[in-house]
Amino acid sequence: MSTLSKILTIVFLIAIAVIIVATFGAVVSPVLFPQVFPKQVDQWSAAGLISTFTGVMAALLAIIGAAVVAFNWLYLEQRVERVLQEKTDDIKRELFASLLERIIAIGEFAIFWQYPLDLRDQYIEQVLQRAPDTPNVAGMMAEEYISFALGVIVGEYFPALQVSNMQRLSRDAALERAVYWAQRAIEAKVSHDPGFPEFVTAKVRALQKEPESTLDCLKQALREDQSFKKRIVMNDLDWSIFTSMTRGESQIIKLDSLLKLLDVERPSLGDVKHHCNNRDKHQRASFAAIKRSDGNYIFVTVEGLKQRHDDPTIKWRIDGCMELQKSVANLDDVMKVIEEVTIPTRLIPEKVY
């Protein structure tokens, strides 16, 4: 507000006060205080004079008010521009400070990622207390603990997951940290990779044998990004995690719900038999499955070899877990063993070398 506009505003307020006092004197004083007026002066004439004065003041008040409004409108644009500029400068300073903080945090994340898992956990926790988790570090930490848990329990299937550090950490403890970091990823809410926190959480729930929670989280992830569907189907590790989310045959409906969500049909025993009849050049047929007893993932290999070139008899051998390590006489017996022990989830096509 300009100085002139402030002066006019003050004058305007003073004029209002004067009018109120004059009006009170004109209307009330002749009635309440008649002795104040001399006998030669008609009190009502005095009241008329005061009323005239009040009218003049009201006219002056209108003029001053109009001037105040005019000046306010005149400088309104300048005031708005000044306020906007101040707000813009404040936002710029805040954004710059936030951006600088994030750049520093990302650099620290990159350094700490080379540390052993236990030290990495501690340092990243400290960084996330002062910087937002836009790069999904919490989700990646959850995946690291998932890999560690898998390296402990299913290293025979995925030897690359064996870790050299933190051997004292148990599978359950690793899963607890995975749950913690997955929850941190969900709570972050801001992510450059939508759906990733929900996807990681679904993997943790699958490892905990909680199919309902697994399906709920996976549905949330797929609503954000349908590419997770392809990732599960194409990635053997993710496939093993999700398909082993049940506790066995009693929860097979949940497994079918998962496969339906992924647009995958569970192979029948006839499909497996046909797959075994069409073995690769090494005379092997492979498929992914879960054990009926506990729902754990297994990679099954069926091998059919001729004993001699002049003998058409095929010797069949099954491998995948202790219950499957058998040699049988014919393919029908192979199918019986497979049906008793496993629930096939996916046929593995022949690799092209």
Side-chain angles (χ1 to χ4, degrees):
M1 183 179 290
S2 65
T3 303
L4 182 58
S5 179
K6 292 179 180 179
I7 293 173
L8 289 174
T9 301
I10 294 172
V11 172
F12 183 73
L13 295 175
I14 293 174
I16 291 176
V18 171
I19 289 175
I20 293 173
V21 173
T23 302
F24 178 81
V27 176
V28 178
S29 60
V31 179
L32 298 181
F33 311 104
Q35 65 278 8
V36 176
F37 296 91
K39 294 182 179 180
Q40 64 271 23
V41 178
D42 184 3
Q43 60 183 3
W44 295 110
S45 298
L49 178 61
I50 295 174
S51 299
T52 302
F53 173 75
T54 303
V56 173
M57 291 298 296
L60 180 61
L61 180 64
I63 294 173
I64 295 173
V68 171
V69 172
F71 273 97
N72 282 335
W73 275 104
L74 180 63
Y75 291 99
L76 178 62
E77 182 177 355
Q78 296 179 7
R79 292 201 304 275
V80 171
E81 288 180 355
R82 185 173 65 254
V83 171
L84 288 177
Q85 185 63 43
E86 292 174 354
K87 294 294 183 183
T88 302
D89 291 342
D90 291 342
I91 293 173
K92 285 180 179 179
R93 284 192 292 270
E94 292 176 2
L95 287 177
F96 179 78
S98 176
L99 180 61
L100 182 61
E101 188 177 62
R102 294 186 185 193
I103 292 173
I104 294 173
I106 290 174
E108 291 176 321
F109 290 146
I111 294 173
F112 296 149
W113 207 256
Q114 309 303 318
Y115 287 16
L117 191 54
D118 52 349
L119 293 178
R120 189 190 320 167
D121 189 303
Q122 297 174 18
Y123 288 125
I124 287 180
E125 182 81 68
Q126 295 174 10
V127 176
L128 289 180
Q129 290 177 357
R130 55 182 171 80
D133 186 18
T134 49
N136 274 331
V137 175
M140 291 188 286
M141 283 297 296
E143 284 210 311
E144 287 293 298
Y145 277 108
I146 289 172
S147 297
F148 183 87
L150 289 173
V152 170
I153 191 169
V154 293
E156 57 182 306
Y157 304 122
F158 301 99
L161 289 176
Q162 296 289 352
V163 292
S164 58
N165 57 305
M166 292 185 66
Q167 290 295 338
R168 64 186 180 277
L169 186 67
S170 66
R171 175 183 182 272
D172 291 339
L175 283 181
E176 285 182 6
R177 293 306 295 170
V179 170
Y180 169 78
W181 282 110
Q183 186 61 36
R184 287 289 301 270
I186 292 290
E187 292 172 353
K189 297 187 182 298
V190 179
S191 170
H192 78 287
D193 190 4
F196 180 69
E198 292 80 5
F199 179 74
V200 173
T201 304
K203 291 173 69 172
V204 173
R205 298 306 181 196
L207 288 171
Q208 292 178 315
K209 300 287 188 179
E210 297 180 7
E212 292 185 2
S213 298
T214 301
L215 292 174
D216 289 341
C217 293
L218 183 57
K219 288 176 183 177
Q220 294 177 31
L222 292 177
R223 278 196 292 268
E224 296 290 337
D225 189 350
Q226 285 288 314
S227 67
F228 290 117
K229 185 183 300 185
K230 182 178 179 180
R231 171 174 170 173
I232 296 172
V233 174
M234 301 298 294
N235 186 289
D236 291 340
L237 178 57
D238 287 339
W239 180 268
S240 72
I241 292 173
F242 281 101
T243 55
S244 61
M245 67 178 184
T246 69
R247 298 186 182 277
E249 188 175 8
S250 61
Q251 294 180 310
I252 194 172
I253 295 177
K254 299 297 183 182
L255 175 62
D256 289 337
S257 297
L258 170 68
L259 298 179
K260 183 178 180 181
L261 194 62
L262 300 177
D263 299 326
V264 175
E265 185 176 351
R266 181 161 57 89
S268 65
L269 199 62
D271 295 330
V272 176
K273 185 175 182 179
H274 178 74
H275 186 57
C276 292
N277 274 323
N278 293 274
R279 300 180 299 285
D280 61 20
K281 64 180 182 179
H282 301 288
Q283 300 301 308
R284 297 189 186 97
S286 303
F287 62 92
I290 61 171
K291 294 170 66 175
R292 289 184 179 272
S293 58
D294 55 18
N296 287 341
Y297 173 86
I298 51 176
F299 185 85
V300 183
T301 301
V302 177
E303 187 176 33
L305 297 173
K306 293 181 179 181
Q307 298 299 307
R308 298 192 309 271
H309 291 289
D310 58 348
D311 185 358
T313 304
I314 297 177
K315 185 72 171 180
W316 295 92
R317 186 172 60 189
I318 316 171
D319 195 11
C321 63
M322 291 296 295
E323 297 90 335
L324 288 176
Q325 290 181 357
K326 297 180 180 180
S327 296
V328 293
N330 56 65
L331 187 55
D332 289 336
D333 291 339
V334 170
M335 293 299 105
K336 288 180 182 179
V337 174
I338 290 174
E339 185 179 18
E340 290 174 359
V341 179
T342 75
I343 300 175
T345 58
R346 182 175 63 175
L347 305 178
I348 308 299
E350 177 184 358
K351 293 183 179 180
V352 179
Y353 296 94

